Structures are given as C-alpha cells and as structure tokens.
C-alpha cells in the first residue's frame, strides 16, 4: 500500500513539474532585439529583372534579367555615406538614340544628394538642373542587399522606348543591389 501511495505521489509530483516547467508559452525570441541592417556602404547592381522576357542584344534569346541582355547597366552603383549623403552612377537605355533616332544607346550620369531610411522607406533628395527632387521608395533591406520594384510609370528612368520594341511591354522592373 505504501508503494502505491509513493508511486501516485511521485506521478503527481512529476505531473506538477511538467505543468509548471514543461510548457513555456513565453516565446523568448520575441523579446530579442534583432539587429537592424544598415544601408551605409557601396552597392553594385546585381539584378534588374523585367516582368516579361526581352531580347535587347538581338541574339534571338529572350531573358527577364536585363543584365544578361545588355552591358548598359553594369556600371550602376550607389554609395550611401554615414553622414547622410550619397552618390550614384545611373544608366539608361534609349531606343531612340543615335543620328538616325532609332539606335539603341546607353547614357550614364552621376547623381549625388542626401538619403534617409525610416523603417523600409528610403528617401533620396537630389539637385538636378537647380531643382531639388525628393523621392521615397519602399525597399527590402538585408545585411548584404537592398532591392525595390519599379512600376510602369517609373520605368522611363531606366529605359526610353517610343519605337515599340520588345521593352515596350515591360510594366515592372525588380532591382537588387549587393553590398561590396
């Protein structure tokens, strides 16, 4: 009889221990502060994907990654300084270029200005031709990359095409820059 009482008490004691210590609903990972990635540094363009495949290099092979179709964007980079300033090398394909007005040309320009990052919104202010232009864009930021999408109304900043070439059907671009 004492053995049965001892086994029952032991089982009850172990059950109480599991009740108090076995199931912990406190998700301690929610109390951890994840380090926030910083944008400071130099980034190069590593991806520029279109929503439809195009053939920019006339090799009869279409691709959604424009970096596989042209070297025009290879020079694109941005440097975010810790003091809130930035400089960027930007490229643009122009399908209306050259002397004939229907040649594909690539133009580049360097922009500089100030930047700020609030949560996932990157704001850039640039002075172009004496006018300050401020743009805010939602980005995805990791420790090594930042990326964003460009909508149809913004695509003219990267591609100008009045000639109805294959790029005319692009309605969205996805750009990713990788930290160096």
């Amino acid at each position: 009889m004492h053995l049965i009482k001892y086994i029952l008490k032991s089982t009850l004691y172990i059950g109480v221990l599991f009740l108090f210590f076995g199931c912990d609903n406190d998700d301690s990972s929610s109390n951890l502060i994840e380090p926030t990635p910083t944008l400071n540094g130099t980034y190069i363009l590593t991806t520029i994907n279109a929503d439809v495949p195009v053939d920019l290099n006339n090799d009869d092979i279409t691709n959604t990654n424009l970096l596989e179709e042209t070297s025009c964007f290879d020079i694109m980079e941005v440097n975010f300084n810790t003091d809130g300033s930035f400089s960027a090398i930007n490229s643009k394909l122009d399908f209306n270029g050259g002397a004939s007005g229907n040649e594909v040309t690539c133009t580049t320009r360097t922009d500089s200005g100030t930047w700020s990052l609030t949560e996932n919104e990157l704001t850039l202010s640039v002075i172009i031709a004496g006018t300050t232009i401020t743009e805010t864009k939602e980005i995805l930021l990791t420790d090594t990359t930042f990326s964003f999408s460009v909508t149809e109304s913004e695509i003219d900043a990267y591609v100008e095409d009045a000639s109805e070439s294959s790029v005319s059907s692009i309605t969205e671009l996805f750009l990713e820059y990788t930290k160096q």
Side-chain angles (χ1 to χ4, degrees), residues 82-110:
T82 57
D83 66 358
S85 65
F86 81 94
S87 63
I89 300 172
N90 294 300
S91 299
K92 181 177 183 177
L93 275 177
D94 186 351
F95 286 81
N96 309 308
S100 66
N102 62 2
E103 297 174 33
V104 178
T105 59
C106 179
T107 58
T108 60
R109 75 168 199 251
T110 301

Side-chain angles (χ1 to χ4, degrees), residues 32-65:
L32 296 177
I33 297 174
E34 293 292 323
T36 303
T38 61
L39 195 57
N40 301 332
T42 300
Y43 295 79
I44 62 167
L45 182 68
T46 50
T47 302
I48 183 167
N49 284 331
D51 59 336
V52 294
V54 295
D55 181 17
L56 300 176
N57 57 6
N58 296 317
D59 65 356
D60 293 324
I61 300 171
T62 60
N63 201 316
T64 56
N65 186 351

Side-chain angles (χ1 to χ4, degrees), residues 157-169:
Y158 301 93
V159 177
E160 187 171 324
D161 181 27
S163 65
E164 299 299 320
S165 73
S166 63
V167 298
S168 298
S169 59

Side-chain angles (χ1 to χ4, degrees), residues 25-180:
N25 289 336
D26 178 29
D27 185 5
S28 61
S29 65
S30 67
N31 295 330
L32 296 177
I33 297 174
E34 293 292 323
T36 303
T38 61
L39 195 57
N40 301 332
T42 300
Y43 295 79
I44 62 167
L45 182 68
T46 50
T47 302
I48 183 167
N49 284 331
D51 59 336
V52 294
V54 295
D55 181 17
L56 300 176
N57 57 6
N58 296 317
D59 65 356
D60 293 324
I61 300 171
T62 60
N63 201 316
T64 56
N65 186 351
L66 301 186
L67 296 178
E68 297 292 324
E69 291 293 320
T70 179
S71 61
C72 180
F73 303 112
D74 291 353
I75 195 170
M76 289 179 63
E77 73 174 38
V78 61
N79 184 19
F80 294 103
N81 300 308
T82 57
D83 66 358
S85 65
F86 81 94
S87 63
I89 300 172
N90 294 300
S91 299
K92 181 177 183 177
L93 275 177
D94 186 351
F95 286 81
N96 309 308
S100 66
N102 62 2
E103 297 174 33
V104 178
T105 59
C106 179
T107 58
T108 60
R109 75 168 199 251
T110 301
D111 296 316
S112 60
T114 60
W115 69 276
S116 64
L117 182 65
T118 305
E119 295 187 18
N120 63 340
E121 290 191 346
L122 175 62
T123 301
L124 302 176
S125 293
V126 182
I127 298 175
I128 298 177
T131 302
T132 301
I133 299 171
T134 301
E135 296 281 334
T136 299
K137 192 77 172 159
E138 185 175 319
I139 66 168
L140 175 62
L141 178 62
T142 71
D143 289 333
T144 58
T145 65
F146 78 93
S147 57
F148 57 94
S149 292
V150 176
T151 62
E152 187 172 15
S153 63
E154 303 166 311
I155 287 177
D156 285 346
Y158 301 93
V159 177
E160 187 171 324
D161 181 27
S163 65
E164 299 299 320
S165 73
S166 63
V167 298
S168 298
S169 59
I170 296 174
T171 60
E172 187 173 24
L173 293 172
F174 173 80
L175 288 82
E176 183 175 75
Y177 286 79
T178 301
K179 196 172 205 174
Q180 296 304 292

